Amino acid sequence: MKKVALIPARYGATRFPGKMMAQLGGKSVILRTYESTVNTGVFDDVMVVTDSDVIYNEIVGHGGKAVMSKKEHECGTDRIAEAVVDMDVDIVVNVQGDEPFTQKDPLEKLLRVFEGEEGSKVQVASLMQELHDEASIADPNYVKVAVDKQFNALFFSRSVIPYPRNKDIKSIYYEHIGIYAFRKQTLLDFTQLAPTPLELAEKIECLRYLENGIPMKMVVTSYMGVEIDTPEDLEKASKYL
């Protein structure tokens, strides 16, 4: 299977404008994300897809690959779908531009679910990690996911799921890590689906799949990086360097 990583990156983030160009240990967040994705060595190609000349020049100026979006897009998935239309590729991985500590092992596990007879049924997959800190579990910036016994997603929420009504049962809490892998056609089909009620309410893009009856396979990883949504996250990320 030919595998490509695309990194959607826009300059005007709502919660942290300009975060892609924020400096993290002497390099921009987006450059660190690009370089860490390339360094995993698991992709046939890696490129940033952006609507910003600043971000485009940041990547290309450091010898990387980037393409400019032709249209305005509401979400990163639509942005990379535009870029992938004419690519000869089987699996497309959407790596969020604010994930500067992307690692090899989780991505290999994610790609592996598409292999073999069982894997042939998987159309879209994503990563999750177990949360232990109560403050993080309660924080709406951490998107939680509940799964079935086959690790297909049941629901994503910024609220606490499952709610610990029964204190005698130890609940497991998973945080959704915003790295997705799609079969090319599944990605293109996504762009034809209108935003759905739960997606709009929670501001969680992948709910669109579930609301349209498309299963999403979840892969557990021990990856404990930092997704940079706020200036506080940037400060936390600096401790990982």
Side-chain angles (χ1 to χ4, degrees):
M1 295 186 295
K2 187 173 182 180
K3 304 173 286 290
V4 171
L6 298 181
I7 306 171
R10 64 189 183 97
Y11 192 84
T14 304
R15 283 176 287 180
F16 188 0
K19 70 177 179 180
M20 295 296 177
M21 292 300 298
Q23 292 298 296
L24 179 59
K27 291 184 179 181
S28 65
V29 169
I30 186 60
L31 182 60
R32 283 197 177 276
T33 301
Y34 176 81
E35 289 180 344
S36 64
T37 304
V38 170
N39 289 339
T40 64
V42 301
F43 298 106
D44 297 291
D45 207 355
V46 178
M47 63 184 68
V48 171
V49 186
T50 184
D51 60 357
S52 165
D53 289 333
V54 173
I55 292 173
Y56 177 88
N57 292 332
E58 171 75 354
I59 298 301
V60 173
H62 286 88
K65 294 184 179 182
V67 295
M68 289 290 293
S69 297
K70 298 174 185 175
K71 303 176 183 177
E72 291 292 322
H73 296 290
E74 287 296 318
C75 68
T77 306
D78 289 333
R79 192 181 307 283
I80 67 169
E82 178 199 291
V84 83
V85 169
D86 297 321
M87 288 186 186
D88 177 21
V89 60
D90 299 299
I91 305 297
V92 182
V93 176
N94 178 349
V95 177
Q96 301 298 323
D98 54 9
E99 290 272 1
F101 303 112
T102 302
Q103 297 176 5
K104 179 178 181 177
D105 288 348
L107 290 171
E108 282 187 323
K109 288 180 70 176
L110 183 63
L111 291 168
R112 207 172 294 137
V113 303
F114 292 90
E115 298 174 355
E117 185 176 343
E118 280 300 309
S120 67
K121 304 171 187 174
V122 177
Q123 297 301 306
V124 57
S126 193
L127 292 171
M128 64 183 184
Q129 62 190 2
E130 193 169 339
L131 280 176
H132 302 281
D133 177 57
E134 290 187 9
S136 299
I137 292 168
D139 189 339
N141 288 318
Y142 287 76
V143 174
K144 275 70 69 175
V145 56
V147 295
D148 66 16
K149 291 181 178 180
Q150 284 72 47
F151 286 90
N152 293 304
L154 292 170
F155 193 62
F156 296 86
S157 183
R158 298 183 184 278
S159 299
V160 177
I161 54 171
Y163 181 79
R165 177 65 178 84
N166 186 344
K167 304 296 184 183
D168 295 328
I169 294 178
K170 178 176 170 53
S171 296
I172 298 176
Y173 295 94
Y174 291 113
E175 177 197 3
H176 179 220
I177 299 171
I179 297 175
Y180 305 83
F182 314 83
R183 294 193 184 276
K184 177 181 176 180
Q185 192 58 52
T186 303
L187 172 59
L188 297 178
D189 290 345
F190 178 87
T191 65
Q192 305 306 308
L193 300 173
T196 47
L198 293 174
E199 173 193 3
L200 293 171
E202 291 263 10
K203 289 293 184 182
I204 298 174
E205 179 184 312
C206 53
L207 283 168
R208 195 183 310 180
Y209 282 101
L210 303 190
E211 289 185 83
N212 281 283
I214 301 169
M216 180 179 287
K217 179 70 74 174
M218 301 302 299
V219 178
V220 181
T221 175
S222 58
Y223 169 77
M224 291 299 287
V226 179
E227 181 178 339
I228 298 173
D229 284 322
T230 66
E232 292 74 23
D233 291 335
L234 186 65
E235 185 176 336
K236 189 190 302 182
S238 66
K239 299 174 183 176
Y240 279 72
L241 296 174

